[in-house]
Amino acid sequence: MIQFRPIYVICMREFIKFFREKSRLLGTLARPVLWLFVVGNGMSALIKPQAGFSYLQFIFPGMMGMTILFASIFSSISIVWDREFGFMKEMLVAPISRLSIVVGKAISGTAISAAQAIIILVLVPFLGIKLSVMEFLEVTALSLLVSFCITSLGILIAARLTSFDGFNIIMNFLVMPMFFLSGAMYPVTSMPPALRALTHLNPLTYGIDSFKHVLLADATPPMGPEFPLALDLAVVVAVSVLMLTLAALSFRKKE
Amino acid sequence: MSIISVQNLSKHFKSLKAVDDISFSIGEGEVFGFLGPNGAGKTTTINILCTLLAPTAGTASIAGFDCVKQPDQVRSSIGLIFQDTTLDSGLTAYENLKFHAYLYNLDRKLTEKRIDEMLSVVELMGRKNDPIKNFSGGMKRRLEIARGLLHYPRVLFLDEPTLGLDPQTRNTIWEFINTLREREKITVFMTTHYMEEAENCGRIAIIDHGRIIALDTPQKLKDLVQGDTIHLVTENNERACAEISELFGIDCHPENGGLFIETERGEEFIPQLIHRLPVRVKSVNLRKPTLNDVFLKLTGRTIRDDVLSDDKEITREFVRSHRRAQR
C-alpha cells in the first residue's frame, strides 16, 4: 500500500518549492518576531515577571506553537492548490496508492513545519532562556510530533475542502481560534470556564504545554507547564493517529 | 486484437445520464476520436477509462486489464494529457518530468535518458531547466505530451489536446503527435469539439447526450452527407424555406438566422436558386461536406457555441447541485 519512491518524490517536490518561495520562509520568521517583540513587549508593560519569569519568556513556547500551526496548515492546504491547479490529477492517475499521497504530504508538511519551529529557537538567547544540547534535541523531537499532529489535521481539512473559497473560513474559524485558545498568550487555568473548556479540546494546547516542559521547566503555573507531560504526549499522539486515519479514509472516498 | 474495449458502459450522475450505454473497441496503433459538444460525455468516458471514475454499469478494459478491478495495471499502461494543464508551474521542465518518472517507478538510469529523449522530441531541450511558469501555452502542452509519453504508455489519452491554443500551435502539436505515434507505435484516444482536429483520426465516434450516434472513418462519415451544403441568409428565412421546398423539392433546415440546403453540385445550383427565389438573398455560402455537416445531419444541430452553452449550462447546473448534495 505504501510505496517508497512516490512518497520520496512527493516530499522532494514540497521541499524544493518551500526553498524557492522565499516570501513563505520570510513570513514564517517574521510573524513570531512581530508577536514576541511588538505584542509581547507591549503586554510586558501590564504583566510583571512572576517568580523570575517574564511575559516574553512565557509566550515563547506559544510562538513555536503558532509557527507550527500556520506552517502545518499552509503545507497541507497545498493539497487544495494541487487540486485547483490540476496537479493533483497527475498524482491520481499514476499507479500509486492514495495512501502514498497522504503519507507523502504528511511527512513533507511535518518536516517543513518542524524546521521552521526549530529556526525560531535562534531567538532563545535574546529572551534569557538557556537551552542545553539535550533540551534542544527534546524540543526538536516535540516539534516534529506537534507538527505531525497539526499537519494531519490540515490534510483532513484539505481532503474535505472542495474549493479555495473554504480557505478563509478555515483561517478565521479554525486556525485563529486554535491559536488564541491554546495557552500561547495566557495561562489556560486563568481563562473563564467556557473558554477553558474549549482550550482543553484543542490539541495545540497540549503541544505548547509540552514545549513549556522543556523551555520553562523551572517555572510553576501560571508561567510554567499546566498539564503532566505524559498527558500532553498522549493527546498529541492520539489526535495525530486519528486525524491521519480519517484523512486517508476521506481521501480515498473523495477522489 | 483490440487494445481498448468498452461494453455497454454507462455513468449516471443522479438523473443525468452522462454516458448512456456505449460500446466500442479500438485496435492497437489506431487514432480514435470522440467528437461532440461539451457535456456530451467525452471527458466522463475518459475519466472512467483512466480509472478516475467508477462506471454505473458496463465494463471497460485497456491492454487486457479491467479499468475497475485492475486500476494500477491500467494506469501503468496509459498516458494522459488533460484539458487543463496539470504541470506544476513552480518546478522546472526537468523536475516535472522527473516527478513523473518517480511516480511511474521508472528505472533510475533510464530516467535521465528518457527525459532528454522526450525533451528533444518536443523540442524543449533548450528549456530543460527553466521554470515552466515562463512557458507559453503551446510549450506547456508539448511538455505535457512529453510527460505523458515518458513511461512509454501503450495508449495515449488526449482530452481536448489543443483547447485554447491558436491554429498554428494546434498544427505543430498535431505534427508532434503524429511523429510520436509512428515512432512509438502507440494508440491514441482523443476527444475534441474541433471538427478540423477530428480529421486527424483514423476513426471517429460522434457522441451526443452520452450516446454514440455514429462511428466510422472521417471520409465515410462525410459520405453520409449527400453533396454540398449551401448556407443562405435571406430577408425572410421562413418564407424562403417554404419556397425552396416547393420549387426544388428539397429539404431545408433553418439555423442561426439562416438556412441550410443540401444539394449536389452546389456551384451550379446557386445561380438557379437566386434567380428563381422570390425572396431577396442577403448572403450565400457554399461548403463542401465537413464533419460539422455530419453532426448537423445526425442531430439537427451544429456543434456551435449556442448549442455548447446550453450543454455547458446543464453541466454547470448539475455540478452545482452535485456539490451541494455532497456537503
Side-chain angles (χ1 to χ4, degrees), chain A residues 175-233:
Chain A
V175 176
M176 292 316 282
M178 270 181 83
F179 170 54
F180 288 120
L181 296 170
S182 66
M185 303 296 290
Y186 13 78
V188 178
T189 36
S190 66
M191 288 183 180
L195 292 183
R196 203 191 310 156
L198 287 172
T199 310
H200 280 286
L201 294 174
N202 182 356
L204 190 63
T205 304
Y206 303 92
I208 291 174
D209 198 64
S210 74
F211 292 141
K212 288 180 185 171
H213 274 283
V214 182
L215 296 165
L216 304 172
D218 301 329
T220 46
M223 297 306 248
E226 296 170 276
F227 309 104
L229 184 60
L231 176 70
D232 291 338
L233 296 178

Side-chain angles (χ1 to χ4, degrees), chain A residues 3 5-6 8-10 13 16-17 20 82 85-98 162-163 254-255, chain B residues 50 52 72 75-76 80 82 85-88 90-92 95-96 98-100 102-108 147 326-327:
Chain A
Q3 296 128 317
R5 290 189 86 203
Y8 165 80
V9 81
I10 288 169
R13 168 173 175 250
I16 289 172
K17 293 185 73 162
R20 253 172 224 173
D82 283 348
F85 293 107
F87 195 78
M88 184 56 76
K89 265 192 176 168
E90 156 79 352
M91 290 187 265
L92 290 177
V93 296
I96 62 169
S97 66
R98 301 290 186 262
T162 41
S163 74
K254 263 300 249 274
E255 311 294 346
Chain B
C50 71
L52 281 180
D72 278 358
R75 288 178 193 176
S76 300
L80 282 131
F82 292 104
T85 171
T86 61
L87 296 165
D88 187 335
L91 300 178
T92 64
E95 285 162 347
N96 267 288
K98 185 143 187 177
F99 187 89
H100 188 86
Y102 270 74
L103 287 190
Y104 285 77
N105 205 18
L106 284 191
D107 181 75
R108 214 174 295 253
R147 187 180 65 177
Q326 278 183 332
R327 277 177 200 149

